[in-house]
Amino acid sequence: MGPLTLAMAELEEKKVLELVRKAIGEDKSPLEIVEECRQGLKIVGERYATGEYFLSDLVMSAEIFQEALKVLEPFLSVAAVFPENPGEADIVFGTVEGDIHDIGKNITISLLRCEGFRVYDAGVDIPPDIFLNIVQETGARVLGLSALLTSSFESMRRTVQLIRMLPPVHGVKVLIGGLVNERVCQYVGADAWVREAMEGVAICRRWLGMKVLVSKK
Amino acid sequence: MKPEERQEQMFLSWLSGKGIEFANPQAEKDYKERVMRLKEAIQLKGPPDRVPVCPLTGLFPVYYSGITVEEAMYDYDKAADAWKKYVLDFKPDAYVGTVFVPPGRFFEVLDYKIYRWPGHGVPPDISYQFLEAEYMKADEYDTLIQDPSDFWLRSYFPRIFGVLKPFAKLAPFTEVLEMVMTCGSFIPFGLPEVQAAFKALFAAGEEACRWAATGRAVDRALQGRGFPALVGGISKAPFDIIGDTLRGTRGIITDMYRRPEKLLQALEAVVPLAIRMGVSSAGAAGHPLVFMPLHKGADGFLSGKQFATFYWPTLRKVIIGLIEEGMVPFLFAEGSYNSRLEIIRNLPRGRTVWLFDQTDMAEAKEILGDIACIAGNVPITLLTLGTADEVKEYCRRLLKTAGKDGGFILSSGVAIDNIRPENMRALIETAKESGNYF
Ligand code: B12
């Protein structure tokens, strides 16, 4: 395990950022740096699964990763997409209207960005029409929706309905996560559902192909 | 006066029913029996006649009486009728009051930003919901620590109440000193926008008075019929005060890593405020129990070390501060507290109530039983989806384990909203049928 992976796994933010800057200075490939961070995030996830880490640690790990990405952003060939500059995105991701739970969303976005996907984080409590606008603006082919409240399944459904009204050329697929299951997936009309971030990443990889990762050495 | 004498005095004030007009002698007798039952369960001086049963109702009375949450929040009389109907129909040993239906119009007048409620973002029959955000910024810790009230007034209010935005223009009150250092602080009161904000405050205050008057009438009516209120006052753990509505979940978590010293200072700064809040609210009600919902201390959320560093020390100070004033903190431990039981044992005996949600109740009895009255924990999933027989079966098991030798109040694990009435009945009846100690 490299020092960057270790610092990430130990949630040492300052050290992570220092090591990232140092690696950039040494002309290391940005994607390699991202990969080291991701290994660290994976360890965090494992420690959470075994009960060694807690929700607080998960939240912090996503936070540190976002900070590392900000440092790396100018050097990435596939720029991370931030709300300040929508540009093009592969995936639009957000929490549906009426719901502000975003811990799971943020973790999943971190992992997707690790994989090199350009993810647009739409934020929380996003009405259907805003989702539609963002999907059109960014040309994203995957829409990731998060919901943890039973009462927000309805807005999830309305969002999917709106997206389905786009002409077929867009071919937008909808992936949902959070407190969802097969019944919810059918009810809202999504293409797939997950309860776990890594499964979501695997699905996105399947849907979007690995095109982004080929640039990795 | 020693804390235990103060506590006894508070209990006697509650027990006396002073100021209550009882409907008849039987009602008075019932009232006193019910308070006595709770007093004995809490003080751990030997079991009461039977296990008290006090469901933690949230909006149950609203759903049960067939009105919407919106109606309850806007038509105070309807809420009042709903509460009376619930209590008189089900006869719990104590009831949770109408504080769970805050007045919609009040929040409209102030353009309250941090919740949605029926008619304002959620449908008529759904509960109000908190909209978490960083209503206090990471770099505002010093402002909060130096002068909490000033922070609340001039920084926090303008963010959470749209109408009070002009309060950001007010001057700090502590700059009023000598004659020549006085007038300047009052200039903001001359600004039209500030004056408009104050006019809205008057209107909000009038609405709050109307709402409170209905709440008091409900209390008078129910107590007059022999039913005591479950709690007298309310307060919160310092970590939740800062983590819930100020910094938010993500904010306070990152602060533990990025600025632990500031967070610890801020937690200390709000300790006296939390004690004051509990003492003044319970004191005014003449009722020792201070309800304290605990949010972010649950298993899984913070590590054991984080709990011992950031959550527990200041919560304990608030608990002790309340106990010294004769109050009985009623701690509602949401989620599970299995890994916290040893550490929270460090409290004086017979001075607190711990209502558990998903905590293992046999374990809680074992570890905490000689220190505190425990309460709970009929699962909300069972109450929502189970049958009445299943509810009774669960309650009977609880009475055997957690209820052994007193020190137990039968209740739900979380606040009850929309469950089938027969399950509520099953919960309450089981205590009366199977909860006798003698
Ligand atoms: C933390 C929390 C909060 C925090 C949220 C902080 C934040 N910034 O997110 C606060 C305190 C603000 C909050 C508020 C409320 N909450 Co809340 N909350 C929780 C809690 C404890 C944890 C949720 C969480 O973050 N889990 C950890 C993450 C990592 O897991 P996750 O979200 O499932 O995500 C994973 C996967 O699902 C996946 N994923 C998630 N989304 C997506 C999307 C896609 C596309 C993909 C691929 C993957 C993916 O990635 C993650 C990693 O694997 C849950 C209880 C619980 N244990 O679940 C209640 C819970 C969700 N809350 C609940 C409720 C009721 C509320 C409130 C309504 C309470 C109130 N009356 O105010 C409000 C609602 C506010 C609102 N409008 O949304 C209920 C929901 C009940 C229901 N069925 O409707 C729960 C279940 C608690 C309960 N048992 O009552 N809450």
Side-chain angles (χ1 to χ4, degrees):
Chain A
M1 195 194 304
L4 179 53
T5 303
L6 184 69
M8 187 73 219
E10 295 292 322
L11 304 172
E12 295 175 67
E13 182 172 31
K14 277 207 188 98
K15 209 159 170 192
V16 168
L17 299 181
E18 238 167 63
L19 288 169
V20 167
R21 284 195 194 95
K22 188 162 154 260
I24 295 172
E26 290 165 359
D27 269 345
K28 217 173 186 176
S29 126
L31 278 173
E32 224 170 287
I33 304 174
V34 170
E35 177 57 21
E36 278 178 44
C37 291
R38 203 182 68 81
Q39 291 300 330
L41 273 193
K42 226 178 101 192
I43 296 171
V44 172
E46 286 160 11
R47 290 186 183 168
Y48 179 69
T50 61
E52 188 187 334
Y53 270 4
F54 297 82
L55 200 66
S56 55
D57 303 308
L58 269 188
V59 172
M60 196 59 203
S61 70
E63 200 71 20
I64 298 175
F65 184 69
Q66 297 301 333
E67 291 301 313
L69 273 188
K70 273 190 208 154
V71 176
L72 277 166
E73 217 246 291
F75 304 94
L76 284 170
S77 50
V78 281
V81 189
F82 291 103
E84 305 89 60
N85 55 326
E88 287 190 350
D90 302 308
I91 303 170
V92 169
F93 207 123
T95 303
V96 301
E97 186 172 24
D99 202 327
I100 55 113
H101 293 88
D102 67 357
I103 297 172
K105 168 182 81 65
N106 293 346
I107 292 169
T108 313
I109 290 178
S110 298
L111 291 173
L112 288 166
R113 285 181 178 159
C114 279
E115 295 282 315
F117 291 116
R118 297 168 304 171
V119 185
Y120 180 94
D121 183 353
V124 297
D125 190 17
I126 306 300
D129 53 320
I130 304 284
F131 270 122
L132 180 70
N133 284 346
I134 299 176
V135 166
Q136 283 180 305
E137 227 172 86
T138 56
R141 285 173 47 221
V142 174
L143 173 62
L145 299 176
S146 187
L148 274 91
L149 298 175
T150 325
S151 55
S152 44
F153 294 154
E154 200 47 47
S155 58
M156 203 175 222
R157 193 167 78 105
R158 278 187 283 113
T159 306
V160 180
Q161 277 173 345
L162 259 191
I163 295 294
R164 296 293 185 230
M165 279 153 73
L166 283 173
V169 289
H170 285 271
V172 179
K173 293 221 181 211
V174 183
L175 174 61
I176 62 170
L179 282 185
V180 298
N181 56 28
E182 180 59 33
R183 282 240 306 268
V184 177
C185 186
Q186 279 178 10
Y187 176 71
V188 306
D191 296 291
W193 63 277
V194 299
R195 286 292 283 265
E196 208 278 314
M198 277 317 286
E199 287 171 39
V201 173
I203 291 177
C204 289
R205 225 187 276 141
R206 218 165 50 235
W207 285 351
L208 291 166
M210 301 283 290
K211 67 162 172 101
V212 261
L213 273 189
V214 291
S215 60
K216 197 184 148 195
K217 284 194 276 192
Chain B
M1 227 191 299
K2 284 197 263 173
E4 50 266 47
E5 291 164 359
R6 287 222 173 94
Q7 192 202 59
E8 199 58 31
Q9 204 179 42
M10 281 302 296
F11 265 118
L12 291 180
S13 138
W14 183 26
L15 186 64
S16 73
K18 210 179 78 203
I20 302 174
E21 278 174 44
F22 289 105
N24 50 53
Q26 184 62 37
E28 181 167 3
K29 186 165 164 280
D30 290 347
Y31 174 91
K32 291 186 172 163
E33 262 175 29
R34 289 186 171 115
V35 174
M36 202 53 174
R37 198 169 285 139
L38 281 161
K39 177 175 186 287
E40 288 175 344
I42 292 167
Q43 291 184 319
L44 305 180
K45 291 178 184 158
D49 59 342
R50 70 159 165 80
V51 172
V53 56
C54 311
L56 197 62
T57 50
L59 295 174
F60 178 76
V62 173
Y63 292 105
Y64 172 63
S65 67
I67 59 174
T68 64
V69 180
E70 183 167 27
E71 284 172 297
M73 286 181 76
Y74 283 85
D75 188 334
Y76 311 146
D77 290 334
K78 278 189 182 159
D81 289 343
W83 249 256
K84 285 185 254 180
K85 182 171 166 57
Y86 152 66
V87 176
L88 298 178
D89 284 2
F90 291 92
K91 304 188 171 42
D93 281 319
Y95 68 92
V96 179
T98 50
V99 286
F100 275 106
V101 279
R105 209 159 290 111
F106 167 91
F107 293 100
E108 267 174 18
V109 170
L110 292 182
D111 184 19
Y112 190 50
K113 301 282 191 194
I114 70 173
Y115 272 75
R116 292 171 190 290
W117 67 92
H120 291 258
V122 300
D125 55 340
I126 299 279
S127 178
Y128 42 87
Q129 294 179 349
F130 175 47
L131 286 170
E132 186 175 84
E134 295 192 6
Y135 299 107
M136 168 188 162
K137 308 277 174 255
D139 60 7
E140 290 179 322
Y141 271 103
D142 285 332
T143 320
L144 169 83
I145 294 161
Q146 275 164 19
D147 190 345
S149 291
D150 189 56
F151 170 76
W152 250 267
L153 184 71
R154 298 193 304 133
S155 302
Y156 187 56
F157 279 12
R159 288 179 197 150
I160 68 165
F161 300 116
V163 164
L164 301 188
K165 214 163 163 211
F167 274 21
K169 296 187 177 162
L170 293 179
F173 291 138
T174 45
E175 288 169 11
V176 175
L177 298 166
E178 298 173 27
M179 191 180 200
V180 294
M181 302 170 198
T182 295
C183 293
S185 297
F186 289 79
I187 291 170
F189 292 113
L191 303 174
E193 61 272 28
V194 172
Q195 293 182 349
F198 272 95
K199 289 209 180 92
L201 266 191
F202 294 164
E206 282 162 13
E207 198 58 43
C209 281
R210 270 194 285 279
W211 172 76
T214 324
R216 273 196 306 274
V218 170
D219 287 336
R220 267 199 308 276
L222 290 176
Q223 288 163 19
R225 300 286 294 269
F227 298 93
L230 180 57
V231 294
I234 193 158
S235 189
K236 287 183 74 164
F239 192 88
D240 292 324
I241 291 180
I242 294 181
D244 288 350
T245 44
L246 295 174
R247 293 286 294 132
T249 307
R250 191 171 114 209
I252 199 161
I253 286 176
T254 51
D255 293 341
M256 288 193 299
Y257 295 86
R258 287 178 179 156
R259 45 192 81 78
E261 294 306 323
K262 288 282 172 227
L263 173 56
L264 287 170
Q265 276 179 36
L267 292 168
E268 292 291 343
V270 297
V271 165
L273 312 182
I275 297 173
R276 179 174 69 187
M277 180 178 177
V279 170
S280 64
S281 51
H287 183 317
L289 270 63
V290 176
F291 187 64
M292 298 184 67
L294 307 181
H295 294 142
K296 296 186 159 67
D299 290 338
F301 196 84
L302 300 181
S303 70
K305 193 162 163 245
Q306 287 168 336
F307 183 80
T309 309
F310 295 100
Y311 200 91
W312 178 243
T314 45
L315 169 57
R316 186 170 184 280
K317 281 186 188 171
V318 174
I319 293 175
I320 297 293
L322 290 170
I323 289 174
E324 277 170 0
E325 295 295 323
M327 305 303 168
V328 176
F330 185 112
L331 301 127
F332 170 27
E334 293 185 37
S336 90
Y337 253 57
N338 292 322
S339 68
R340 318 293 193 214
L341 293 171
E342 288 292 347
I343 183 167
I344 63 178
R345 240 188 82 80
N346 180 16
L347 286 172
R349 180 183 154 89
R351 299 277 184 274
T352 53
V353 180
W354 286 83
L355 190 146
F356 292 113
D357 173 10
Q358 292 155 40
T359 305
D360 180 328
M361 291 303 274
E363 192 111 317
K365 183 73 173 179
E366 168 83 28
I367 298 177
L368 222 52
D370 62 333
I371 291 297
C373 172
I374 62 172
N377 82 337
V378 185
I380 191 68
T381 43
L382 179 66
L383 288 168
T384 310
L385 303 169
T387 65
D389 281 341
E390 285 165 340
V391 172
K392 283 198 168 182
E393 177 55 36
Y394 187 95
C395 292
R396 276 197 290 266
R397 269 207 315 275
L398 253 187
L399 292 175
K400 279 206 196 90
T401 49
K404 209 162 136 272
D405 305 327
F408 178 63
I409 299 168
L410 182 62
S411 188
S412 46
V414 299
I416 302 175
D417 289 338
N418 199 357
I419 68 167
R420 285 202 302 278
E422 63 259 36
N423 287 358
M424 176 65 85
R425 201 160 284 124
L427 167 67
I428 291 173
E429 272 172 9
T430 317
K432 296 182 181 175
E433 290 162 6
S434 318
N436 290 310
Y437 287 110
F438 302 109

